[in-house]
Amino acid sequence: MPDADCRLPRGALQGIPNRRGGCSLCALAKPGKAASTSPQPRKVPKPDPEMEAKLMAELHEEQKAVAEEVLAGRNVFITGLPGCGKSFLVKKLIEILRLRKGQEAVAVCASTGVAGIHIGGSTIHSYLGCGTADSEQNWEKAFRSRKAKKRIRHTEVLLIDEVSMLSGEFLEKAGELVARVLASEKPFGGLQVVFCGDFLQLPPIKANSLAFQSSVWGALGLRHIVLKHNFRQSCDPEFQSLLGELRLGVLEKSKLAASFDTEGGSKVHPKIVSTNDEALKINTRNLGVLPDKARTYVARDEADNPRDPGVVNAFASLLAEKTLELKVGCVVMLLKNLRLPTDCKPVVFTTPRRGGKRPSDLDIDYDTSFMDLPSEYQGLQTPLVNGSIGMVVGFEHAEDGVEYPLVEFSRGYHKLITLAEFSGELGHLGGYKRTQIPLKLAWALTVHKTQGLTLQTGDLDLSRAFETAQVYVALSRFQTLAGVKISGMPKRIPRPSKQRVQALEFHASLEP
Ligand SMILES: Nc1ncnc2c1ncn2[C@@H]1O[C@H](COP(=O)(O)OP(=O)(O)OP(=O)(O)O)[C@@H](O)[C@H]1O
């Protein structure tokens, strides 16, 4: 596999174990392993009940019940409000299904590139080979694509995340194409399908109908499962109820304004902006004024087809940067779950740090806090999740001899952040992997890049929101009301669109 570029020392990349104990770098590099595109007969993996049990144990009771339905081979639609753990469940399901059936038998897709990247998969368009899917020619081309046909024939379970962002027309055509390739009259050719999404979040762009309105949706006999437990806002019932009102389109603007900090003064990070350019400008400007010497970390990128535009695009969509510049004083966001709130153990508080004593997992100093944690976590270790905000306070050498950033998270908790992997599979294009420090400059971030994140704090400008769903999705990324500052209010809360009203009716039928 070609090695695109790397200024990180080789030693720094060795021995990063994957979940099964092997080195995933090696697994990706060897032909014939997970990422290979060679037409080898698919081997059914040896059962690994221990690993399966471990993965199941990480699920909440409600999520476990869904996993059991899926593992029993049923067609399922998983839905629920933002932060109820849909993506978390989907990622575990992928791991369990692949343990049982092998890599190729489980096709992992999403409606958009960013959503696909989040679950280590590709867009459904790329899986089907239908390009933009906006003409009959595109669909015919997909049917003639040998690679797409091979992929479909190897598939046993087709998983589509953010299905709510696909139009009904698209889903209909996708079902027909798969059935045609498999020479079957059944919807999606009789493949097991697992759909995941929330029709009350962002709607598809340009759609005559929503996915659940397509006839293939009905024909699949999907079991509709609504997850109810809210992980993201679990410690803020007031915020939950406000989001609930916004979700149903009954929230008054005055209540929205009264609930949040809308005053100019306070600095809250990240500022959520609408364009990449805006985010880049703010981050570059803030980095520039810091007096410290910049450290540059260039990611190691590897892929089976590194020059293919689909792979180039996948790398570009990753949150982990190709080139990361850091200085002492940088505001950064963590891009990996290093410790989920549920895994936080009780801590022993000590007197505030004086003279260099650094707080550790069991010894937290809360006097020098960069940011406070919700009260639910008082007395517990600091959660370190994808979206946690911190500040670089120094650089230290790790065991591999490389100098890594030392980041201060909430309550003064310090952690040396070392390398992590960001990888995925792009169907016929094979695997790709970026090895980089899982941090991103976080003075500013685009709305687009907040998809799937759980943010502790942020500064939102909602003045240009033209859909209720946009206001709802932007706000629902956050854990607490207190963590959000609204620097621009919408003139009025936008009226629900016709499709949103239909989505609301659909949801009412799921949650009687
Ligand atoms: N079983 C679990 N144990 C611990 N943490 C969990 C669990 N399930 C979900 N979480 C955490 O809850 C938060 C929200 O989960 P997730 O992003 O999967 O929600 P979601 O329903 O996909 O949200 P959205 O629709 O907004 O993308 C994440 O920080 C995730 O790590």
Side-chain angles (χ1 to χ4, degrees):
M1 175 184 306
D3 186 356
D5 186 9
C6 179
R7 271 193 255 153
L8 293 163
R10 295 233 150 222
L13 295 163
Q14 281 164 8
I16 301 166
N18 63 20
R19 293 203 69 125
R20 281 183 241 180
C23 174
S24 49
L25 198 69
C26 306
L28 200 69
K30 280 178 196 157
K33 283 274 170 83
S36 168
T37 53
S38 57
Q40 293 182 348
R42 190 168 55 79
K43 283 196 202 126
V44 178
K46 264 217 258 167
D48 189 345
E50 210 175 297
M51 177 53 91
E52 206 174 289
K54 189 168 166 273
L55 291 166
M56 283 296 259
E58 289 173 42
L59 298 175
H60 181 266
E61 287 313 311
E62 209 179 46
Q63 295 168 323
K64 244 179 233 169
V66 183
E68 277 155 16
E69 292 280 336
V70 171
L71 296 174
R74 300 202 174 92
N75 291 341
V76 172
F77 166 53
I78 307 164
T79 188
L81 39 81
C84 67
K86 297 183 293 297
S87 306
F88 187 93
L89 168 62
V90 162
K91 285 187 214 160
K92 300 285 167 218
L93 274 175
I94 295 165
E95 285 194 67
I96 301 175
L97 285 166
R98 283 188 165 157
L99 271 180
R100 285 194 179 186
K101 296 173 185 287
Q103 186 90 4
E104 284 194 331
V106 185
V108 177
C109 306
S111 50
T112 67
V114 175
I117 297 288
H118 267 299
I119 53 169
S122 63
T123 59
I124 178 74
H125 304 71
S126 161
Y127 167 79
L128 296 171
C130 64
T132 48
D134 51 6
S135 68
E136 275 309 317
Q137 287 94 309
N138 278 149
W139 287 103
E140 270 314 306
K141 205 171 119 209
F143 182 66
R144 286 195 307 272
S145 159
R146 284 178 42 218
K147 284 180 178 166
K149 280 199 256 201
K150 188 179 140 215
R151 268 194 309 276
I152 293 169
R153 288 187 184 127
H154 274 106
T155 303
E156 287 179 36
V157 185
L158 173 61
L159 200 140
I160 309 181
D161 198 11
E162 303 286 0
V163 71
S164 38
M165 290 176 77
L166 291 176
S167 68
E169 306 85 88
F170 178 90
L171 204 69
E172 204 73 65
K173 286 277 189 196
E176 282 169 18
L177 173 70
V178 174
R180 214 172 137 200
V181 170
L182 297 176
S184 161
E185 295 199 343
K186 294 183 184 162
F188 277 89
L191 293 184
Q192 182 187 359
V193 300
V194 177
F195 293 159
C196 185
D198 177 10
F199 286 97
L200 296 182
Q201 293 187 43
L202 295 176
I205 301 163
K206 278 201 266 167
N208 295 324
S209 63
L210 296 168
F212 64 81
Q213 295 169 322
S214 62
S215 61
V216 72
W217 185 281
L220 282 165
L222 293 156
R223 209 161 275 211
H224 295 166
I225 306 181
V226 186
L227 294 174
K228 301 243 165 75
H229 182 83
N230 183 335
F231 286 92
R232 195 172 287 141
Q233 288 92 20
S234 59
C235 53
D236 192 341
E238 192 191 340
F239 192 21
Q240 279 190 37
S241 100
L242 192 125
L243 286 173
E245 287 178 38
L246 194 55
R247 181 173 172 87
L248 300 177
V250 294
L251 181 73
E252 302 285 332
K253 186 187 158 190
S254 54
K255 189 166 173 190
L256 181 71
S259 306
F260 293 93
D261 167 14
T262 51
E263 294 306 312
S266 62
K267 276 237 179 319
V268 180
H269 304 299
K271 185 171 177 54
I272 313 291
V273 297
S274 15
T275 65
N276 278 328
D277 278 357
E278 227 178 315
L280 189 69
K281 228 194 247 165
I282 296 175
N283 286 330
T284 314
R285 192 178 57 224
N286 281 290
L287 185 72
V289 297
L290 291 174
D292 188 38
K293 170 186 118 191
R295 268 75 162 184
T296 305
Y297 299 90
V298 181
R300 169 183 281 198
D301 285 353
E302 296 157 276
D304 287 324
N305 295 289
R307 282 180 227 297
D308 188 282
V311 177
V312 172
N313 202 17
F315 276 125
S317 307
L318 283 175
L319 272 175
E321 310 277 9
K322 174 70 185 161
T323 304
L324 177 69
E325 253 192 54
L326 296 174
K327 288 181 183 177
V328 169
C330 279
V331 175
V332 286
M333 184 172 74
L334 184 64
L335 303 177
K336 281 277 177 194
N337 284 331
L338 298 184
R339 181 168 54 220
L340 292 171
T342 40
D343 295 330
C344 289
K345 298 192 182 74
V347 292
V348 179
F349 288 105
T350 57
T351 47
R353 169 165 48 109
R354 295 280 180 271
K357 187 178 180 304
R358 179 183 314 150
S360 70
D361 276 358
L362 291 169
D363 180 15
I364 282 194
D365 174 348
Y366 54 95
D367 187 45
T368 53
S369 63
F370 169 65
M371 207 168 31
D372 285 322
L373 275 182
S375 56
E376 180 162 295
Y377 304 128
Q378 296 301 333
L380 292 177
Q381 289 173 324
T382 306
L384 297 173
V385 296
N386 185 0
S388 291
I389 300 290
M391 184 182 279
V392 175
V393 290
F395 292 87
E396 284 187 5
H397 287 96
E399 279 172 10
D400 58 15
V402 179
E403 204 180 29
Y404 292 110
L406 182 68
V407 179
E408 179 172 309
F409 292 97
S410 348
R411 291 190 312 203
Y413 177 64
H414 288 197
K415 172 118 183 122
L416 196 66
I417 305 296
T418 56
L419 296 172
E421 293 174 10
F422 300 82
S423 61
E425 275 280 322
L426 291 172
H428 67 294
L429 297 177
Y432 66 92
K433 181 163 72 174
R434 170 164 290 174
T435 308
Q436 176 60 292
I437 291 169
L439 291 176
K440 184 172 176 61
L441 291 183
W443 282 287
L445 201 67
T446 59
V447 186
H448 188 60
K449 294 249 159 130
T450 63
Q451 194 178 341
L453 291 180
T454 294
L455 295 169
Q456 285 167 348
T457 57
D459 175 347
L460 273 175
D461 181 356
L462 295 173
S463 55
R464 278 186 282 174
F466 55 87
E467 250 276 6
T468 332
Q470 287 176 323
V471 180
Y472 178 58
V473 169
L475 280 175
S476 62
R477 302 297 98 208
F478 298 95
Q479 289 179 306
T480 59
L481 264 175
V484 188
K485 177 184 161 194
I486 299 188
S487 54
M489 284 293 281
K491 283 203 183 69
R492 54 177 176 79
I493 298 211
R495 277 177 179 280
S497 62
K498 188 171 146 232
Q499 276 182 338
R500 188 162 180 87
V501 172
Q502 291 166 344
L504 279 164
E505 284 166 4
F506 174 64
H507 267 267
S509 74
L510 300 179
E511 299 175 76

